[in-house]
Amino acid sequence: MKVLVVGNGGREHAIAWKLAQSESVTDVICVPGNGGTALENKCLNIIPSNCAYVTQDMTSKEAYVQIALHEGCTLAVIGPENPLAEGLSDAFWKAGIPTVGPKMAGAQLEASKDLAKTFMAKYGVACAQSRTFTDRQEAIAYVNAKGVPIVIKADGLAAGKGVVVASTLEEALDAIDNLMEEDSGKKLVIEECLKGPEASILAAVSVTPEGAKAGKACIKPFLAARDHKRLCDASKGPNTGGMGAVCPLDDITPLIMAQFEKNILSPTLKGLIEEGYDYRGFIFFGLILTQDGPKCLEYNVRLGDPETQAVLPLMDFDFLELCRAITDETLNDFNLQWKKGYVVAPVAVSGGYPREYAKGIPIYINENGFKKTGAKLFIAGAIADRRSTHAPKFESTSTGLVTSGGRVLACSSYGKNFSQAWNNAYDAMNAIHFENMFYRHDIGLQGATEVDE
């Protein structure tokens, strides 16, 4: 069968790679894909603007549907949040294409932090106390009354960068001014600042009104992972889209998982059912492990990035069959099995990220050194373009890729224990080179993660 994957990041490369491992999959159509999926087994990139059968009068949703139908895809997997929030899943289902990704109504749990907080309060999900503001002066007065540290969040989608943890009053007031001017919206959510290490639990979801009546509604969590948001070692520097991830987590004990399932997962499932959502896809629980147990910081309505690059390599089951179980509402009967061991996945970024950075820089690899680590290279911000064949390092060769984004790639490395995975990851990273390449050296290490929201 043919599967269509929507998106062009490292998460989508990992999804396409995992789908391609299924014997039932003949082709993975990546729209638009990236330089990594262009080189991946069974994968084909299609850019809508380059398709003769995609006309200029088509909306983006219509173009995606047209590509899926023309290519004979019988399943779609939507990677990023924006097309989900805009209703692409609805359009695929209307065209008769089963889709992994919630319909538009459920996707608003990420598109609006205000809606998500209202949902959490309504269904008793353990989370930080918060208030929503549309008036700047009222927001300022609230912050002055509450004091710092405090968390300021833009209401809408902001690519993982619409959150400011203000440690001073000046930072909080600047955040209110800045976020109310951003495209992500003038509505703000202001939260108490919780203390503790962060964690991410991705999960498969299969909920429909009809399925709920038949007892089929289900959320199945994956192994816990941890993203590292800050740019520099020891969680210093500005917030980014993610500098690396590790899976699983030794500090997620059976007790914490039991608390998570009771106080976060179960009430979330109840809410999805009672709101009448058609939610067949993935959900991301952004957690903070407080002294009172885990609390939910946010929902994402898709797989996390770069957590996906650390979690999917540990899956010991057919990812296509999981996707089918989600869409046909047999998830309750699906058995999630996991490989023993760890994956560490540091991310290499362009110099200057998350601010201004250059593009079009050739990427090189020491193939022998990289191969010894057993690592998998997941491309995020790179495209196929042979601009140079001159290798700047001894025994390095051109990958045929050049940088096209801030987060360029991840070296996802397995080990039977954490130490082995960590060493493999950084040996692999040392075999990659592009000008002004930058990465953290402490992904997964103790003390490397944020200790508050």
Side-chain angles (χ1 to χ4, degrees):
M1 65 180 291
K2 290 186 177 183
V3 184
L4 185 136
V5 174
V6 175
N8 65 349
R11 164 185 51 225
E12 288 75 38
H13 184 184
I15 290 170
W17 164 78
K18 196 64 178 175
L19 284 167
Q21 292 180 352
S22 173
E23 293 182 359
S24 300
V25 172
T26 57
D27 300 274
V28 181
I29 308 301
C30 303
V31 186
N34 61 32
T37 54
L39 302 174
E40 195 65 57
N41 181 43
K42 296 185 183 179
C43 294
L44 172 67
N45 287 355
I46 293 182
I47 299 173
S49 60
N50 292 345
C51 290
Y53 53 85
V54 174
T55 59
Q56 290 185 348
D57 62 340
M58 286 184 179
T59 65
S60 58
K61 286 188 287 188
E62 289 170 340
Y64 281 117
V65 171
Q66 182 64 26
I67 291 170
L69 293 173
H70 186 272
E71 297 296 327
C73 297
T74 53
L75 178 73
V77 181
I78 303 173
E81 60 273 25
N82 290 85
L84 289 168
E86 293 166 2
L88 181 56
S89 182
D90 306 61
F92 278 136
W93 279 104
K94 186 176 180 180
I97 302 168
T99 302
V100 179
K103 289 187 176 179
M104 187 175 182
Q108 302 313 303
L109 287 172
E110 180 172 0
S112 171
K113 292 181 176 64
D114 176 45
L115 184 147
K117 296 297 293 190
T118 301
F119 177 95
M120 292 180 198
K122 182 177 180 179
Y123 294 105
V125 176
C127 63
Q129 295 181 351
S130 70
R131 277 188 59 185
T132 299
F133 296 89
T134 55
D135 183 272
R136 177 177 173 275
Q137 293 303 323
E138 289 181 2
I140 290 172
Y142 182 79
V143 167
N144 282 324
K146 285 292 185 180
V148 292
I150 201 163
V151 181
I152 318 291
K153 294 181 175 182
D155 176 60
L157 296 173
K161 300 172 188 175
V163 178
V164 175
V165 181
S167 56
T168 68
L169 187 59
E170 182 180 9
E171 288 177 346
L173 299 182
D174 284 346
I176 291 171
D177 287 340
N178 293 335
L179 292 177
M180 279 192 162
E181 294 301 321
E182 293 293 330
D183 291 338
S184 53
K186 294 181 182 289
K187 185 183 289 185
L188 293 181
V189 175
I190 302 181
E191 290 185 352
E192 65 175 321
C193 187
L194 300 175
K195 299 292 183 179
E198 295 184 18
S200 306
I201 296 184
L202 315 181
V205 185
S206 187
V207 175
T208 67
E210 298 77 13
K213 292 176 183 177
K216 295 180 179 180
C218 179
I219 300 179
K220 286 203 170 184
F222 299 161
L223 296 175
R226 177 165 287 132
D227 180 14
H228 297 61
K229 284 289 187 187
R230 300 286 183 176
L231 179 67
C232 303
D233 290 357
S235 291
K236 306 296 183 182
N239 240 13
T240 73
M243 294 298 295
V246 59
C247 179
L249 305 180
D250 291 337
D251 56 349
I252 298 292
T253 64
L255 174 60
I256 289 175
M257 278 302 297
Q259 292 171 329
F260 161 73
E261 292 183 5
K262 177 183 178 182
N263 300 323
I264 297 173
L265 188 150
S266 292
T268 296
L269 178 60
K270 179 182 178 182
L272 296 178
I273 293 170
E274 295 199 7
E275 294 295 320
Y277 290 144
D278 185 337
Y279 195 122
R280 282 173 281 183
F282 301 109
I283 194 167
F284 168 116
F285 296 95
L287 307 178
I288 191 158
L289 310 180
T290 75
Q291 291 183 342
D292 299 322
K295 294 192 176 183
C296 189
L297 298 176
E298 63 176 351
Y299 295 124
N300 291 167
V301 296
R302 34 71 187 186
L303 294 175
D305 190 342
E307 290 95 337
T308 299
Q309 293 89 302
V311 174
L312 264 60
L314 288 171
M315 289 180 171
D316 200 16
F317 53 82
D318 189 318
F319 188 66
L320 172 69
E321 294 306 318
L322 172 65
C323 292
R324 282 173 159 172
I326 289 169
T327 59
D328 66 17
E329 299 182 82
T330 59
L331 183 61
N332 265 320
D333 301 322
F334 192 87
N335 185 22
L336 299 177
Q337 294 183 317
W338 302 93
K339 298 175 185 176
K340 301 291 186 182
Y342 293 77
V343 169
V344 175
V347 170
V349 302
S350 299
Y353 174 82
R355 298 181 178 90
E356 291 185 7
Y357 52 84
K359 298 180 181 180
I361 300 173
I363 302 171
Y364 301 94
I365 185 170
N366 181 322
E367 293 180 345
N368 290 333
F370 190 86
K371 188 175 182 179
K372 290 177 182 178
T373 69
K376 173 62 182 177
L377 196 62
F378 289 121
I379 298 298
I383 58 175
D385 185 352
R386 293 187 178 275
R387 299 193 184 186
S388 175
T389 57
H390 172 68
K393 285 188 173 184
F394 181 67
E395 292 185 343
S396 292
T397 59
S398 172
T399 60
L401 303 175
V402 298
T403 63
S404 62
R407 287 193 295 168
V408 177
L409 56 87
C411 288
S412 183
S413 304
Y414 170 81
K416 292 181 179 178
N417 53 55
F418 171 79
S419 179
Q420 186 183 62
W422 192 90
N423 287 327
N424 285 340
Y426 283 96
D427 286 346
M429 194 64 88
N430 288 332
I432 303 292
H433 173 79
F434 57 88
E435 187 178 351
N436 295 324
M437 170 177 160
F438 180 84
Y439 58 92
R440 283 181 59 163
H441 298 80
D442 63 347
I443 300 301
L445 297 181
Q446 187 174 6
T449 56
E450 290 72 24
V451 294
D452 55 36
E453 190 191 1

